[in-house]
Amino acid sequence: MSERKTILIIDDDRDFVSAIAALLESAGYQVRSAANGRDGIDLAKLIHPDLILLDVMMTERTEGFFTLQEFRRLPELGRTPVMVISSIYAEQPIFRVSPEAGWLPADLFLPKPVDPARLLEEIRKLTSASSNNEARIAGRSAK
Amino acid sequence: MKILKIPKANLDLFVSVLPAFGDVYAPVKRGKGYAFDRPLRWFDVQMNYPRTILPPKKFMLPPREATFAFDPAKGFQDLLADAARQLVLFGVHAYDIFGLNILDRVFAQGRYSDPYYVTRRKATTIIGVDFEPDERHFARSMNADFVDSGFDLFLSDIGEEYLVLVGTSRGDDIVVLSSSLLETPTETDFDEYKRRSGLRRAAYRTRLELGDLPEILEMEYHSEVWDEMGERCLSCGSCSMVCPTCYCFDINDEVELGSRAGTRIRSWDSCLFKTHALVAGGENFRSQRASRIKFRYYHKQRGFVAEYGRPSCVGCGRCSEACPARIDIQTVIETIRGERNGTASSVARSA
């Protein structure tokens, strides 16, 4: 059985997916991808990834937010770490609700364009140990 | 009451931040109808829907809920904590909010409050939205076409924007969080609200006169109309299931085979079911269909008025829509009032 961690990228930008997939594969991760939220949910249910990288603006500009809510409600995926990577704050200047305001049930928000070194470091942290994830989620639930 | 406005173009972003207050449920398409469910994207959310198949009571009084578990070896385990899930109901019509306010009187404001209902009600954020009545709505006749309490926020369509009425401090927390998406309304916006409010009141095609209905029901207790309706009614209970204010429930202990451990289950019941008035010893106080359907009308339109000062009906039209025998509340009431001939065919809609 493979020890490689599986990362699911949900993003409709093919170039972004190819670039990030190449980066992650070179770092030893197994990568799968989906181009919209619904396909991403279906695929995640099937493969149970160790981490999800999620875009926001796909078919709709808020699609990733709805997709994330669904992940958090699904018993089998509610504890999977999700990293939101989006340029929504740059492209929708009216949307000034900070990801730090407690409404975004993601583990981390990173703006696009993303720094590869930081991305790898954050992925390493989020996928490092399931026991850490349990503690992190317990802390999130207590908010 | 604080009033703001939100451009319709910002509504998707506004709904996206609602998870801060709980799991978001909104009206979405379900077959040929609509249901409060979890939208997977903004496109799924239906802002203009006539009515949902089931009212939002399904969140406060679930069709089936486990209240506690029991086990001789471990004792009781109260499952009340399971009811404390934070929810946001987005896009609730005024009559359904009114329906919840009526349920509040029964479950939350009486001598004995129901902890399961109260816990869910307190954990639920309600965001209302106005609607255009169709031919089945008669909420205006039931004084349930507008509400001034029971919601956290209420959205009223004024064209390119919605006026946002803030009903509670929790509603205020939501508008504070999403303040970048909201604007201050102008006098022109208020004028447009008043204009549309008048249009909505005038748009009701179904009107019922309820003024002295309790008295007329008293006079018509032995009317043949009830027998005629009993002939038609299938006792399926659909009208009760879809009613925003029907709250009868049954209690059963489900015990595991080969064990004395189990769970106490509360589930929806209906006064139309043959076993509803069946008691120990085999006596059934309403064994006939006619007596059961009569009981339903008398409870909602007469008994509830005496107890709570208003009928337990909000004019949503769901019972008429759900009835497979095509029994229509408007026709029933008009027949009882002597405004129609009392025949079996007259209490049902024409096929």
Side-chain angles (χ1 to χ4, degrees):
Chain A
M1 188 175 159
S2 170
E3 293 295 317
R4 296 168 70 198
K5 305 266 187 190
T6 302
I7 296 178
L8 171 62
I9 306 174
I10 304 174
D11 199 309
D12 62 341
D13 182 342
R14 288 184 182 183
D15 294 338
F16 178 83
V17 172
S18 319
I20 298 298
L23 174 73
L24 298 180
E25 282 166 354
S26 69
Y29 295 102
Q30 188 170 309
V31 178
R32 301 289 299 272
S33 68
N36 62 62
R38 288 180 189 226
D39 289 349
I41 291 167
D42 289 343
L43 186 56
K45 286 178 181 172
L46 204 63
I47 66 173
H48 291 96
D50 297 288
L51 174 81
I52 297 168
L53 302 186
L54 178 63
D55 186 23
V56 174
M57 293 186 288
M58 292 182 276
T59 313
E60 294 180 349
R61 66 177 178 175
T62 55
E63 186 166 329
F65 295 145
F66 285 84
T67 305
L68 178 57
Q69 289 172 51
E70 189 60 17
F71 279 136
R72 289 302 182 226
R73 290 163 177 150
L74 292 170
E76 69 270 36
L77 293 166
R79 290 167 176 254
T80 305
V82 178
M83 192 186 295
V84 175
I85 304 177
S86 173
S87 56
I88 187 164
Y89 287 96
E91 296 191 26
Q92 303 291 332
I94 192 169
F95 187 57
R96 297 195 298 273
V97 187
S98 163
E100 310 302 321
W103 64 275
L104 186 64
D107 296 277
L108 186 67
F109 179 92
L110 290 180
K112 279 183 181 174
V114 67
D115 172 55
R118 169 143 191 231
L119 179 66
L120 285 175
E121 175 58 18
E122 298 292 355
I123 288 175
R124 189 191 61 75
K125 281 189 215 166
L126 286 174
T127 59
S128 58
S130 59
S131 57
N132 287 347
N133 279 348
E134 295 294 328
R136 172 181 51 77
I137 285 157
R140 187 171 62 206
S141 304
K143 279 181 186 174
Chain B
M1 186 177 277
K2 187 173 174 180
I3 303 177
L4 297 162
K5 71 173 179 179
I6 182 166
K8 288 181 176 176
N10 290 353
L11 217 50
D12 56 343
L13 297 170
F14 175 78
V15 171
S16 294
V17 302
L18 292 178
F21 301 88
D23 285 350
V24 180
Y25 285 73
V28 301
K29 281 288 284 180
R30 173 78 60 79
K32 292 179 181 174
Y34 299 85
F36 283 105
D37 206 344
R38 305 180 311 209
L40 283 184
R41 54 184 180 173
W42 171 244
F43 178 76
D44 294 341
V45 178
Q46 306 292 313
M47 292 300 284
N48 298 302
Y49 68 99
R51 62 182 63 71
T52 51
I53 299 164
L54 289 178
K57 81 171 178 186
K58 71 178 183 179
F59 294 102
M60 319 299 164
L61 193 65
R64 186 180 189 280
E65 69 174 325
T67 54
F68 63 83
F70 51 88
D71 185 334
K74 300 176 187 167
F76 292 96
Q77 183 196 355
D78 193 347
L79 302 176
L80 182 59
D82 294 351
R85 185 166 66 113
Q86 300 289 317
L87 294 182
V88 179
L89 301 188
F90 177 81
V92 185
H93 286 170
Y95 53 78
D96 273 339
I97 296 172
F98 218 106
L100 292 174
N101 291 348
I102 287 174
L103 291 181
D104 287 349
R105 296 189 191 187
V106 176
F107 286 101
Q109 296 165 0
R111 180 178 294 180
Y112 305 105
S113 65
D114 183 299
Y116 301 92
Y117 176 90
V118 170
T119 300
R120 288 194 171 88
R121 183 73 157 116
K122 285 182 177 172
T124 304
T125 300
I126 305 278
I127 301 180
V129 68
D130 61 14
F131 68 101
E132 295 296 326
D134 67 8
E135 70 282 359
R136 291 211 202 291
H137 286 117
F138 56 99
R140 176 98 181 106
S141 303
M142 292 291 168
N143 285 324
D145 53 335
F146 287 90
V147 280
D148 51 18
S149 67
F151 59 84
D152 296 287
L153 296 174
F154 199 96
L155 310 182
S156 296
D157 191 345
I158 54 168
E160 296 301 311
E161 297 110 352
Y162 285 100
L163 275 193
V164 181
L165 276 66
V166 181
T168 62
S169 56
R170 180 159 43 184
D172 197 55
D173 289 344
I174 297 173
V175 298
V176 167
L177 179 68
S178 54
S179 58
S180 68
L181 307 171
L182 297 155
E183 298 171 4
T184 303
T186 63
E187 286 298 321
T188 309
D189 295 326
F190 293 150
D191 289 343
E192 182 60 14
Y193 171 84
K194 287 183 275 188
R195 189 183 76 81
R196 287 175 180 253
S197 172
L199 288 175
R200 271 195 292 278
R201 287 176 199 273
Y204 280 92
R205 284 164 274 175
T206 300
R207 292 165 195 267
L208 292 178
E209 179 52 53
L210 297 176
D212 51 359
L213 188 60
E215 290 78 6
I216 290 176
L217 284 169
E218 189 70 40
M219 296 169 197
E220 296 297 323
Y221 191 77
H222 298 291
S223 169
E224 292 177 357
V225 169
W226 305 116
D227 296 325
E228 293 166 0
M229 282 175 64
E231 287 293 311
R232 256 197 119 80
C233 176
L234 303 175
S235 286
C236 67
S238 293
C239 51
S240 304
M241 301 300 145
V242 301
C243 178
T245 62
C246 273
Y247 52 80
C248 283
F249 58 80
D250 196 7
I251 298 281
N252 287 290
D253 286 347
E254 294 187 355
V255 182
E256 297 160 23
L257 282 176
S259 156
R260 292 175 65 198
T263 313
R264 179 155 293 183
I265 302 293
R266 170 158 78 172
S267 50
W268 285 358
D269 200 353
S270 167
C271 55
L272 276 310
F273 292 164
K274 191 170 185 177
T275 55
H276 187 264
L278 179 65
V279 296
E283 185 62 45
N284 192 335
F285 298 104
R286 288 188 292 276
S287 61
Q288 302 301 310
R289 282 178 296 167
S291 64
R292 295 197 291 275
I293 193 164
K294 180 164 72 173
F295 173 82
R296 183 168 193 273
Y297 275 86
Y298 274 68
H299 172 70
K300 298 183 81 67
Q301 302 289 349
R302 178 173 163 270
F304 210 87
V305 175
E307 185 74 21
Y308 295 100
R310 63 153 293 130
S312 66
C313 173
V314 296
C316 65
R318 287 186 178 95
C319 54
S320 301
E321 189 168 85
C323 181
R326 305 178 76 80
I327 293 173
D328 180 86
I329 183 173
Q330 179 191 7
T331 318
V332 172
I333 288 177
E334 289 175 353
T335 304
I336 285 295
R337 297 189 73 92
E339 295 165 0
R340 288 173 184 252
N341 291 328
T343 64
S345 58
S346 72
V347 295
R349 302 189 302 275
S350 55

